Amino acid sequence: MPILAAKKSNDKLTSGVNQENAPNRYKYSDANSTTETLNPNRIHNEFPAPGYRGNQKQALEDIREAFLSGADVVLVQAPTGSGKSLLARAIAGCANTIEETDDADTPVDAFYTTPQVSQLDDVAEDDLLDDFRIVRGKNNYKCILPGDTDTPVGEAKCVRESGFDCGSKQNCPYYVDRAAAVDGRIAAMTLAYFMQTASSELFDERDVVVIDEAHGLIKWAEMYGTISISPRTVPMWDEISIPDIDSLEEAVSICSSLHSRTTRRLNALSEKAELNSEETAEREQIYRLRGNISWLTDDFDRNADDHEWVVDQSKDTGAITIKPLNPQRYLKHTVWDRGNKFALLSATILNKDAFCRQMGVSPEDAELVRVEHTFPVENRPLYDVTCGEMTRDEKAETLPKIAQTIARVMKRHSDSKGIIHCHSYDIQDKLVARVKELGFGSRVRDHQAKNRDQALTDWKESPGNDVFFSVKMEEALDLEGDLARWQVLCKAPYLNAGDSRVNARLTDGRWNWYYRRALQTLIQACGRIIRTPEDHGATYIADSSIPDVFREARHEMPPWFKEQVDRCSTIDLPKLQAQSPQ
């Protein structure tokens, strides 16, 4: 049973961006003049491509005007394939420079960040973005010391040994990249790394923060703000006794006790000259745990009346999960305190005011720029091949029908590659087994969580007509051209209504939010196989609940997607025979 818990509103955490200042507090003139913050007038000169594609020129002009109007935050609704990374580079290039300010305390330069690792990979491979200085988390790099070359930097001697002075630090790939990002005009990183460095002195506040795929920002805030007290997060779990709890107050008491216990354990670890790999991992685990629970123990108000937390406890393990109903509070110090001006880019900023409220931004401080789609609607057809609902009660009956439909779609596209969006590993496993039974096994590829990236790469590089059964790949996946000419959406991507946080919001009547989140994912999914105006690919809708999302969230749809939905049609698929040829 979830526990709705009281939490007093904290102005320090919940205020929007620069709310105490008047909107037009910055000075602008021409591209050669001194400015106190970014200079939007040079946005076209900072565009890195030799020419414009589609509506990029108009988009840059609209972004320029939005910043000149005094907006602190510019939201850019740009369809998939419109070149958001190039727009992002142009915006970042408008950031104030050291040469343009006489005040050493004035923030300069820019951050570029994205929730998607694959998006950062694409940026790293783009020659037009070669001035982005990319840094990743320590465990993405290998140590270069002899005997440790297979060890991630996060577990290397510099982390394990107290006082270890690495003579090769100047050549360590992590520290080289980090130094380049710290000193670079545009520091680029994943949103996870960006948020993790918020409390450190590693990166100073910058003039401009550009967030690509910004619809994922609130998801990261939810994860960042969630506190988990479980065997996975508490290294001394077997040494403690977790009682049954009935209130947030009891959960806070447990967190306070853990804080004291982990302090003693950290002191013990600090007395060791060298830590082994298990102790190093334990120390990092404790740091993460303490960072999470400090939010709750520092801010909890026992006398508050408003409900802003949901607490769950597992009956089996006693594990406790504490989730914020207003996760935007955690964006204050991790994002909004990191810059003067912000640009948030996404194909699925569907409702400006709702988006701003979710992000902890005052709508009055933000401007929305809409970039029109230039991809012909006839190149991106939607086909209704619905077979029934994939709800918990209906899934057992519907799933075999979807497997049959997928096989028929595979037969229709016998000479091209496609991708199946399965939504979950359970659905994936069942669909793969059924499709193989139907005689199409030689074309089937799938993945598990541990080999996700490699399996995707192998499929993309493969010739022929293989079909990839994927899980959670509706976003930040570029399948241009023959990489995929068709796809099947197997389940409406509703948030789990059994999740206590989702349930609390639905109980509060926030159904528009629920359908909007599903629509965001569907729009993202539909863009995976159409990447240029000349590209073409078919999207098949198999779950009967997906048209429900389109109907309930129609008022939120961008015009270009509404046109695509309105053209949705049925199609006659080839019949299957026993052991149909593949």
Side-chain angles (χ1 to χ4, degrees):
M1 175 69 68
I3 305 161
L4 275 177
K7 176 68 176 71
K8 185 176 181 179
S9 179
N10 186 327
D11 292 338
K12 175 171 68 73
L13 295 175
T14 57
S15 59
V17 181
N18 298 320
Q19 303 242 355
E20 19 189 271
N21 299 303
N24 292 299
R25 64 189 183 282
Y26 298 115
K27 296 186 296 186
Y28 305 97
S29 53
D30 60 44
N32 298 314
S33 67
T34 299
T35 64
E36 293 181 18
T37 187
L38 90 168
N39 188 338
N41 287 313
R42 61 166 175 252
I43 195 167
H44 290 283
N45 291 335
E46 293 291 339
F47 187 68
Y52 301 111
R53 189 184 75 188
N55 287 323
Q56 288 173 336
K57 183 176 182 179
Q58 184 60 51
L60 291 174
E61 187 61 25
D62 292 343
I63 294 167
R64 185 185 79 90
E65 291 297 326
F67 276 121
L68 286 175
S69 73
D72 289 322
V73 182
V74 174
L75 311 175
V76 183
Q77 183 197 78
T80 300
S82 57
K84 290 191 291 296
S85 297
L86 300 181
L87 300 178
R89 168 59 186 83
I91 297 167
C94 295
N96 199 13
T97 67
I98 294 176
E99 295 77 18
E100 291 174 323
T101 179
D102 298 325
D103 185 354
D105 294 328
T106 299
V108 297
D109 299 330
F111 286 114
Y112 169 88
T113 183
T114 172
Q116 302 289 349
V117 174
S118 58
Q119 183 73 17
L120 196 66
D121 293 339
D122 291 342
V123 167
E125 296 172 2
D126 194 332
D127 292 339
L128 295 174
L129 305 174
D130 59 1
D131 58 348
F132 279 39
R133 297 294 173 254
I134 297 173
V135 60
R136 306 172 190 271
K138 284 184 178 180
N139 285 334
N140 291 281
Y141 300 85
K142 298 292 186 182
C143 179
I144 60 175
L145 293 180
D148 261 357
T149 52
D150 290 332
T151 304
V153 172
E155 301 173 12
K157 285 186 177 181
C158 59
V159 177
R160 299 195 309 266
E161 295 186 18
S162 176
F164 179 78
D165 185 14
C166 181
S168 300
K169 196 170 184 179
Q170 70 275 14
N171 296 317
C172 172
Y174 168 69
Y175 287 101
V176 168
D177 280 0
R178 193 181 78 173
V182 168
D183 295 335
R185 175 109 168 91
I186 304 173
M189 60 201 71
T190 63
L191 187 61
Y193 188 86
F194 181 67
M195 296 177 78
Q196 288 165 7
T197 57
S199 300
S200 74
E201 297 180 357
L202 185 60
F203 290 96
D204 293 329
E205 178 186 352
R206 296 205 170 194
D207 185 30
V208 176
V209 178
V210 181
I211 304 175
D212 209 347
E213 304 294 341
H215 58 277
L217 188 55
I218 196 63
K219 298 176 186 177
W220 273 98
E222 289 173 347
M223 288 188 286
Y224 187 90
T226 295
I227 301 166
S228 175
I229 309 298
S230 70
R232 182 180 58 82
T233 62
V234 180
M236 63 283 296
W237 179 263
D238 293 335
E239 303 171 14
I240 61 177
S241 177
I242 301 291
D244 293 339
I245 63 171
D246 297 311
S247 68
L248 177 65
E249 186 171 356
E250 293 175 351
V252 172
S253 296
I254 292 172
C255 288
S256 298
S257 175
L258 277 174
H259 198 277
S260 300
R261 183 184 287 267
T262 54
T263 297
R264 295 192 293 271
R265 179 56 179 160
L266 285 176
N267 290 337
L269 291 173
S270 67
E271 293 175 357
K272 294 191 173 188
E274 180 178 357
L275 304 180
N276 59 35
S277 58
E278 290 78 13
E279 290 169 331
T280 302
E282 180 185 2
R283 185 182 63 181
E284 295 303 310
Q285 190 177 30
I286 290 174
Y287 283 148
R288 287 193 297 271
L289 174 65
R290 288 164 63 89
N292 286 336
I293 64 179
S294 65
W295 278 105
L296 187 61
T297 56
D298 290 349
D299 297 326
F300 175 62
D301 185 340
R302 300 177 189 276
N303 299 316
D305 295 325
D306 53 329
H307 299 290
E308 295 190 4
W309 301 88
V310 174
V311 183
D312 291 315
Q313 185 173 31
S314 168
K315 294 181 180 179
D316 297 328
T317 66
I320 299 169
T321 305
I322 308 166
K323 304 173 185 177
L325 290 177
N326 297 312
Q328 62 268 29
R329 70 174 66 243
Y330 302 105
L331 297 178
K332 176 65 168 64
H333 84 288
T334 58
V335 176
W336 305 128
D337 285 347
R338 308 289 297 278
N340 277 332
K341 294 283 187 173
F342 299 82
L344 277 60
L345 299 89
S346 172
T348 49
I349 300 175
L350 305 180
N351 180 309
K352 176 199 167 186
D353 287 356
F355 188 86
C356 286
R357 287 192 295 270
Q358 279 190 322
M359 301 298 169
V361 175
S362 170
E364 289 74 23
D365 289 337
E367 291 289 342
L368 175 63
V369 170
R370 290 187 174 90
V371 182
E372 295 301 318
H373 211 326
T374 60
F375 296 3
V377 68
E378 57 269 19
N379 288 5
R380 42 190 171 97
L382 280 175
Y383 292 118
D384 184 345
V385 293
T386 51
C387 309
E389 294 185 347
M390 285 288 283
T391 60
R392 187 189 327 179
D393 294 337
E394 304 293 334
K395 184 168 65 174
E397 181 179 347
T398 302
L399 192 143
K401 299 176 184 178
I402 290 182
Q404 287 261 351
T405 297
I406 289 172
R408 295 173 68 187
V409 174
M410 290 173 69
K411 187 173 182 180
R412 180 174 191 254
H413 296 277
S414 60
D415 59 349
S416 61
K417 297 165 73 172
I419 183 169
I420 312 299
H421 296 285
C422 300
H423 187 75
S424 72
Y425 285 107
D426 176 65
I427 294 174
Q428 179 204 59
D429 290 344
K430 290 180 170 63
L431 287 176
V432 165
R434 292 272 184 173
V435 170
K436 287 181 177 179
E437 290 174 0
L438 293 169
F440 288 78
S442 65
R443 291 178 63 187
V444 169
R445 288 177 180 249
D446 61 0
H447 68 90
Q448 296 303 313
K450 61 184 178 181
N451 71 336
R452 172 188 177 92
D453 293 339
Q454 188 59 54
L456 175 63
T457 298
D458 292 345
W459 170 68
K460 289 172 68 175
E461 293 177 351
S462 68
N465 61 352
D466 285 357
V467 179
F468 195 61
F469 286 68
S470 71
V471 177
K472 301 299 182 185
M473 291 191 181
E474 296 93 345
E475 300 182 18
L477 179 62
D478 186 342
L479 298 176
E480 182 178 351
D482 290 336
L483 288 177
R485 288 299 181 190
W486 56 275
Q487 60 185 344
V488 180
L489 308 184
C490 297
K491 188 178 186 307
Y494 289 122
L495 296 175
N496 179 13
D499 180 281
S500 54
R501 180 162 46 199
V502 175
N503 181 265
R505 288 169 175 163
L506 294 182
T507 301
D508 197 35
R510 296 178 59 182
W511 288 95
N512 281 343
W513 163 83
Y514 185 65
Y515 287 113
R516 185 187 308 120
R517 288 286 290 266
L519 179 63
Q520 283 180 327
T521 303
L522 289 171
I523 293 175
Q524 290 287 335
C526 288
R528 294 312 96 208
I529 61 173
I530 309 293
R531 310 300 300 181
T532 70
E534 296 76 30
D535 207 354
H536 60 89
T539 297
Y540 297 86
I541 299 167
D543 179 4
S544 299
S545 295
I546 293 178
D548 294 340
V549 178
F550 291 158
R551 181 176 60 258
E552 296 293 337
R554 182 177 176 82
H555 61 288
E556 306 273 17
M557 288 181 184
W560 56 268
F561 189 72
K562 188 179 297 183
E563 181 184 20
Q564 188 173 354
V565 170
D566 288 345
R567 288 173 58 96
C568 184
S569 61
T570 58
I571 189 170
D572 291 328
L573 295 172
K575 302 294 184 182
L576 292 182
Q577 300 174 351
Q579 295 299 306
S580 174
Q582 300 171 37

